[in-house]
Every structure is written in structure tokens, then in C-alpha cells.
Amino acid sequence: MIVFFCDSINSNTGWSSYLHSIYKCLNNKKKIIIICHKINKNIKVKQYPLLRHPLDYSNNPFLIFIDVFKVIFFLKRSNYIFLNLHIICEPYVLFLPFIYKFFKKNFLTAHGSYSLILNRSLRTKFFFKIALRFINQVIYVSEYTKEKLYIIYNSNQIKKVEIGRAHV
């Protein structure tokens, strides 16, 4: 089972349209779960609204300490065998130090400026650096993001996988 952390699977934000594109490409849609902020009733996939809006966590990382219990309770009580976690919305990476043991591999997709927002304030920077220790691969979607990620992260610590390039 692959678990995605995203705001939703709607196509109205960059994050959710990215997840929607992944969903459309998957062969076995029964083997994914979306832990999200909002459910899309038009898409037949298991969706669990356990999260707040992603920017709530970047504005106040201490909210993680409240909401992580809902996520852990769900992961422990579910009858699924979890393989991978793919975090689509960067602020949700703050959950990772508490839930990484449920998954074999943890992925983060870095979407331009949002991948850097957690590194800007002292409140989130500390938690962000801890969370990054539990990421197996960072997927970046533009050359700009790749360059900024290399500045912030230790390139030996995290593998980066390029899946696309921004074209002007």
C-alpha cells in the first residue's frame, strides 16, 4: 500500500493536481491511500481527512503534536500493509519523525518555493531539518528547485530524483 500525504486529490492546486496526475497513471488504484485535508467524493480512492491545511503546519509547526496522534492511531488501527509514504505537500514532512517506522521508504516531492518555505522561519527550520533525516528520496520538479535544494540540504544525505523540468 502506498500512502500519499496531500491537501486533496482535487485538481485545483499545484499539489493536488500533481497527485491527481500520479493517480491517473497508476495501474492498481486499490493499493493507494490518501491522507488529506479535504476529500474529493468524485474520485474512487481511499481518502482519510486527518490533516489540516498544509500551510497551517508551516505557520505553526506545534500543531503537528496535536494531529500526529490521529495519524498514528489510523496507521496502527488499519489493516493495511504499508510500503511507501509519498509526501506531496512539503509542510506535511513535519509528521515524518513520528510515523517513518510504518513505511519502508519515504519520499518528498519538492514543488519550487513551497519546498523552501519551511526553511525560512526559525520556528519551522528546526523541525524541518529533523524531518529531512527520515526522507529516502526527494523528487524535484524543476531545475530551480534542484539548485535551491542543493544549497539547503546535504546532497550526500538525500538522493534527488528529477522527474521533470520547468520549460519557459
Side-chain angles (χ1 to χ4, degrees):
M1 189 70 63
I2 300 172
V3 178
F4 291 93
F5 271 40
C6 193
D7 57 339
S8 72
I9 192 167
N10 299 325
S11 295
N12 57 352
T13 68
W15 287 319
S16 60
S17 60
Y18 177 77
L19 177 57
H20 192 264
S21 296
I22 292 173
Y23 173 77
K24 288 191 305 187
C25 293
L26 291 173
N27 290 332
N28 191 345
K29 294 172 178 43
K30 293 180 182 176
K31 292 196 175 186
I32 70 165
I33 292 174
I34 299 171
I35 296 179
C36 57
H37 171 58
K38 290 185 181 178
I39 290 177
N40 181 345
K41 294 179 182 175
N42 297 325
I43 301 207
K44 303 296 180 212
V45 65
K46 295 173 186 134
Q47 302 170 63
Y48 301 93
L50 303 175
L51 307 173
R52 299 173 198 246
H53 189 277
L55 296 181
D56 291 346
Y57 299 114
S58 63
N59 292 331
N60 185 357
F62 297 102
L63 292 172
I64 294 290
F65 297 112
I66 297 168
D67 295 346
V68 73
F69 293 107
K70 292 186 289 187
V71 175
I72 290 173
F73 183 79
F74 168 77
L75 294 172
K76 282 185 175 180
R77 298 285 182 206
S78 65
N79 292 324
Y80 303 118
I81 297 171
F82 301 113
L83 295 176
N84 298 328
L85 172 65
H86 189 147
I87 299 171
I88 304 292
C89 302
E90 294 89 341
Y92 293 151
V93 77
L94 299 175
F95 281 91
L96 205 47
F98 307 101
I99 63 170
Y100 74 94
K101 289 183 179 179
F102 290 97
F103 306 98
K104 291 185 179 182
K105 289 206 173 188
N106 303 297
F107 302 90
L108 169 67
T109 297
H111 299 276
S113 300
Y114 277 111
S115 59
L116 310 173
I117 198 169
L118 294 171
N119 201 47
R120 290 187 184 148
S121 81
L122 290 175
R123 272 196 314 196
T124 57
K125 191 173 190 171
F126 173 76
F127 295 113
F128 190 43
K129 294 286 185 183
I130 291 172
L132 289 174
R133 294 179 189 163
F134 300 98
I135 295 288
N136 297 99
Q137 291 185 339
V138 175
I139 300 165
Y140 57 88
V141 296
S142 71
E143 198 63 33
Y144 166 81
T145 305
K146 173 188 165 188
E147 291 171 16
K148 296 298 181 184
L149 288 172
Y150 273 112
I151 292 169
I152 295 172
Y153 312 131
N154 178 351
S155 61
N156 296 328
Q157 185 180 12
I158 301 171
K159 294 180 182 179
K160 288 131 187 118
V161 178
E162 185 175 2
I163 61 166
R165 294 184 186 264
H167 296 284
V168 179

PDB file of all heavy atoms in Angstrom, residues 90-103:
ATOM      1  N   GLU A  90       4.825  19.773   1.051  1.00  0.00           N
ATOM      2  CA  GLU A  90       6.046  19.847   1.843  1.00  0.00           C
ATOM      3  C   GLU A  90       5.827  20.034   3.347  1.00  0.00           C
ATOM      4  O   GLU A  90       6.525  19.395   4.137  1.00  0.00           O
ATOM      5  CB  GLU A  90       6.969  20.948   1.316  1.00  0.00           C
ATOM      6  CG  GLU A  90       7.511  20.676  -0.057  1.00  0.00           C
ATOM      7  CD  GLU A  90       6.625  21.186  -1.184  1.00  0.00           C
ATOM      8  OE1 GLU A  90       5.424  21.431  -0.948  1.00  0.00           O
ATOM      9  OE2 GLU A  90       7.132  21.339  -2.307  1.00  0.00           O
ATOM     10  N   PRO A  91       4.886  20.877   3.794  1.00  0.00           N
ATOM     11  CA  PRO A  91       4.718  21.027   5.249  1.00  0.00           C
ATOM     12  C   PRO A  91       4.346  19.734   5.975  1.00  0.00           C
ATOM     13  O   PRO A  91       4.632  19.589   7.161  1.00  0.00           O
ATOM     14  CB  PRO A  91       3.601  22.072   5.366  1.00  0.00           C
ATOM     15  CG  PRO A  91       3.745  22.896   4.131  1.00  0.00           C
ATOM     16  CD  PRO A  91       4.118  21.891   3.059  1.00  0.00           C
ATOM     17  N   TYR A  92       3.772  18.777   5.271  1.00  0.00           N
ATOM     18  CA  TYR A  92       3.428  17.507   5.907  1.00  0.00           C
ATOM     19  C   TYR A  92       4.654  16.665   6.247  1.00  0.00           C
ATOM     20  O   TYR A  92       4.544  15.683   6.973  1.00  0.00           O
ATOM     21  CB  TYR A  92       2.469  16.703   5.028  1.00  0.00           C
ATOM     22  CG  TYR A  92       1.095  17.317   4.864  1.00  0.00           C
ATOM     23  CD1 TYR A  92       0.354  17.089   3.717  1.00  0.00           C
ATOM     24  CD2 TYR A  92       0.520  18.114   5.848  1.00  0.00           C
ATOM     25  CE1 TYR A  92      -0.909  17.630   3.551  1.00  0.00           C
ATOM     26  CE2 TYR A  92      -0.737  18.668   5.699  1.00  0.00           C
ATOM     27  CZ  TYR A  92      -1.453  18.425   4.543  1.00  0.00           C
ATOM     28  OH  TYR A  92      -2.702  18.959   4.384  1.00  0.00           O
ATOM     29  N   VAL A  93       5.812  17.036   5.751  1.00  0.00           N
ATOM     30  CA  VAL A  93       7.036  16.311   6.087  1.00  0.00           C
ATOM     31  C   VAL A  93       7.318  16.394   7.584  1.00  0.00           C
ATOM     32  O   VAL A  93       8.013  15.536   8.139  1.00  0.00           O
ATOM     33  CB  VAL A  93       8.238  16.811   5.250  1.00  0.00           C
ATOM     34  CG1 VAL A  93       8.763  18.128   5.777  1.00  0.00           C
ATOM     35  CG2 VAL A  93       9.338  15.775   5.208  1.00  0.00           C
ATOM     36  N   LEU A  94       6.745  17.381   8.252  1.00  0.00           N
ATOM     37  CA  LEU A  94       6.965  17.533   9.686  1.00  0.00           C
ATOM     38  C   LEU A  94       6.401  16.360  10.497  1.00  0.00           C
ATOM     39  O   LEU A  94       6.788  16.148  11.635  1.00  0.00           O
ATOM     40  CB  LEU A  94       6.363  18.861  10.174  1.00  0.00           C
ATOM     41  CG  LEU A  94       6.945  20.117   9.533  1.00  0.00           C
ATOM     42  CD1 LEU A  94       6.200  21.362  10.002  1.00  0.00           C
ATOM     43  CD2 LEU A  94       8.435  20.252   9.800  1.00  0.00           C
ATOM     44  N   PHE A  95       5.495  15.580   9.912  1.00  0.00           N
ATOM     45  CA  PHE A  95       4.967  14.387  10.568  1.00  0.00           C
ATOM     46  C   PHE A  95       5.971  13.234  10.579  1.00  0.00           C
ATOM     47  O   PHE A  95       5.859  12.311  11.381  1.00  0.00           O
ATOM     48  CB  PHE A  95       3.699  13.893   9.848  1.00  0.00           C
ATOM     49  CG  PHE A  95       2.467  14.661  10.173  1.00  0.00           C
ATOM     50  CD1 PHE A  95       2.094  15.760   9.413  1.00  0.00           C
ATOM     51  CD2 PHE A  95       1.660  14.286  11.231  1.00  0.00           C
ATOM     52  CE1 PHE A  95       0.954  16.473   9.695  1.00  0.00           C
ATOM     53  CE2 PHE A  95       0.501  14.988  11.530  1.00  0.00           C
ATOM     54  CZ  PHE A  95       0.144  16.089  10.765  1.00  0.00           C
ATOM     55  N   LEU A  96       6.905  13.264   9.689  1.00  0.00           N
ATOM     56  CA  LEU A  96       7.762  12.105   9.418  1.00  0.00           C
ATOM     57  C   LEU A  96       8.530  11.557  10.623  1.00  0.00           C
ATOM     58  O   LEU A  96       8.597  10.334  10.786  1.00  0.00           O
ATOM     59  CB  LEU A  96       8.709  12.425   8.265  1.00  0.00           C
ATOM     60  CG  LEU A  96       9.228  11.237   7.494  1.00  0.00           C
ATOM     61  CD1 LEU A  96       8.138  10.260   7.117  1.00  0.00           C
ATOM     62  CD2 LEU A  96       9.955  11.704   6.261  1.00  0.00           C
ATOM     63  N   PRO A  97       9.106  12.372  11.491  1.00  0.00           N
ATOM     64  CA  PRO A  97       9.833  11.780  12.629  1.00  0.00           C
ATOM     65  C   PRO A  97       8.958  10.887  13.520  1.00  0.00           C
ATOM     66  O   PRO A  97       9.481  10.010  14.206  1.00  0.00           O
ATOM     67  CB  PRO A  97      10.325  13.003  13.412  1.00  0.00           C
ATOM     68  CG  PRO A  97      10.399  14.083  12.396  1.00  0.00           C
ATOM     69  CD  PRO A  97       9.262  13.819  11.448  1.00  0.00           C
ATOM     70  N   PHE A  98       7.667  11.072  13.468  1.00  0.00           N
ATOM     71  CA  PHE A  98       6.751  10.306  14.315  1.00  0.00           C
ATOM     72  C   PHE A  98       6.161   9.080  13.621  1.00  0.00           C
ATOM     73  O   PHE A  98       5.668   8.182  14.285  1.00  0.00           O
ATOM     74  CB  PHE A  98       5.606  11.211  14.782  1.00  0.00           C
ATOM     75  CG  PHE A  98       6.086  12.473  15.429  1.00  0.00           C
ATOM     76  CD1 PHE A  98       6.097  13.665  14.716  1.00  0.00           C
ATOM     77  CD2 PHE A  98       6.546  12.471  16.729  1.00  0.00           C
ATOM     78  CE1 PHE A  98       6.547  14.838  15.302  1.00  0.00           C
ATOM     79  CE2 PHE A  98       7.013  13.636  17.322  1.00  0.00           C
ATOM     80  CZ  PHE A  98       7.010  14.822  16.612  1.00  0.00           C
ATOM     81  N   ILE A  99       6.187   9.045  12.282  1.00  0.00           N
ATOM     82  CA  ILE A  99       5.494   7.976  11.556  1.00  0.00           C
ATOM     83  C   ILE A  99       6.389   7.188  10.602  1.00  0.00           C
ATOM     84  O   ILE A  99       5.918   6.250   9.967  1.00  0.00           O
ATOM     85  CB  ILE A  99       4.281   8.530  10.775  1.00  0.00           C
ATOM     86  CG1 ILE A  99       4.723   9.520   9.711  1.00  0.00           C
ATOM     87  CG2 ILE A  99       3.266   9.148  11.727  1.00  0.00           C
ATOM     88  CD1 ILE A  99       3.628   9.926   8.745  1.00  0.00           C
ATOM     89  N   TYR A 100       7.658   7.526  10.494  1.00  0.00           N
ATOM     90  CA  TYR A 100       8.529   6.894   9.491  1.00  0.00           C
ATOM     91  C   TYR A 100       8.613   5.375   9.657  1.00  0.00           C
ATOM     92  O   TYR A 100       8.799   4.647   8.687  1.00  0.00           O
ATOM     93  CB  TYR A 100       9.926   7.517   9.507  1.00  0.00           C
ATOM     94  CG  TYR A 100      10.773   7.111  10.684  1.00  0.00           C
ATOM     95  CD1 TYR A 100      11.663   6.046  10.588  1.00  0.00           C
ATOM     96  CD2 TYR A 100      10.675   7.776  11.899  1.00  0.00           C
ATOM     97  CE1 TYR A 100      12.435   5.666  11.665  1.00  0.00           C
ATOM     98  CE2 TYR A 100      11.430   7.403  12.979  1.00  0.00           C
ATOM     99  CZ  TYR A 100      12.309   6.351  12.863  1.00  0.00           C
ATOM    100  OH  TYR A 100      13.052   5.974  13.939  1.00  0.00           O
ATOM    101  N   LYS A 101       8.457   4.859  10.858  1.00  0.00           N
ATOM    102  CA  LYS A 101       8.606   3.417  11.103  1.00  0.00           C
ATOM    103  C   LYS A 101       7.491   2.587  10.465  1.00  0.00           C
ATOM    104  O   LYS A 101       7.640   1.377  10.316  1.00  0.00           O
ATOM    105  CB  LYS A 101       8.647   3.146  12.595  1.00  0.00           C
ATOM    106  CG  LYS A 101       9.920   3.620  13.248  1.00  0.00           C
ATOM    107  CD  LYS A 101       9.954   3.271  14.712  1.00  0.00           C
ATOM    108  CE  LYS A 101      11.253   3.749  15.318  1.00  0.00           C
ATOM    109  NZ  LYS A 101      11.325   3.446  16.747  1.00  0.00           N
ATOM    110  N   PHE A 102       6.419   3.216  10.076  1.00  0.00           N
ATOM    111  CA  PHE A 102       5.314   2.491   9.446  1.00  0.00           C
ATOM    112  C   PHE A 102       5.599   2.160   7.977  1.00  0.00           C
ATOM    113  O   PHE A 102       4.874   1.384   7.380  1.00  0.00           O
ATOM    114  CB  PHE A 102       4.016   3.310   9.519  1.00  0.00           C
ATOM    115  CG  PHE A 102       3.456   3.411  10.908  1.00  0.00           C
ATOM    116  CD1 PHE A 102       3.713   4.524  11.690  1.00  0.00           C
ATOM    117  CD2 PHE A 102       2.668   2.396  11.433  1.00  0.00           C
ATOM    118  CE1 PHE A 102       3.189   4.628  12.965  1.00  0.00           C
ATOM    119  CE2 PHE A 102       2.144   2.483  12.701  1.00  0.00           C
ATOM    120  CZ  PHE A 102       2.407   3.611  13.487  1.00  0.00           C
ATOM    121  N   PHE A 103       6.632   2.768   7.402  1.00  0.00           N
ATOM    122  CA  PHE A 103       6.876   2.670   5.968  1.00  0.00           C
ATOM    123  C   PHE A 103       8.288   2.178   5.682  1.00  0.00           C
ATOM    124  O   PHE A 103       9.209   2.428   6.442  1.00  0.00           O
ATOM    125  CB  PHE A 103       6.662   4.030   5.304  1.00  0.00           C
ATOM    126  CG  PHE A 103       5.328   4.628   5.608  1.00  0.00           C
ATOM    127  CD1 PHE A 103       5.191   5.576   6.617  1.00  0.00           C
ATOM    128  CD2 PHE A 103       4.201   4.219   4.916  1.00  0.00           C
ATOM    129  CE1 PHE A 103       3.949   6.107   6.916  1.00  0.00           C
ATOM    130  CE2 PHE A 103       2.958   4.751   5.210  1.00  0.00           C
ATOM    131  CZ  PHE A 103       2.830   5.699   6.214  1.00  0.00           C
TER     132      PHE A 103
END
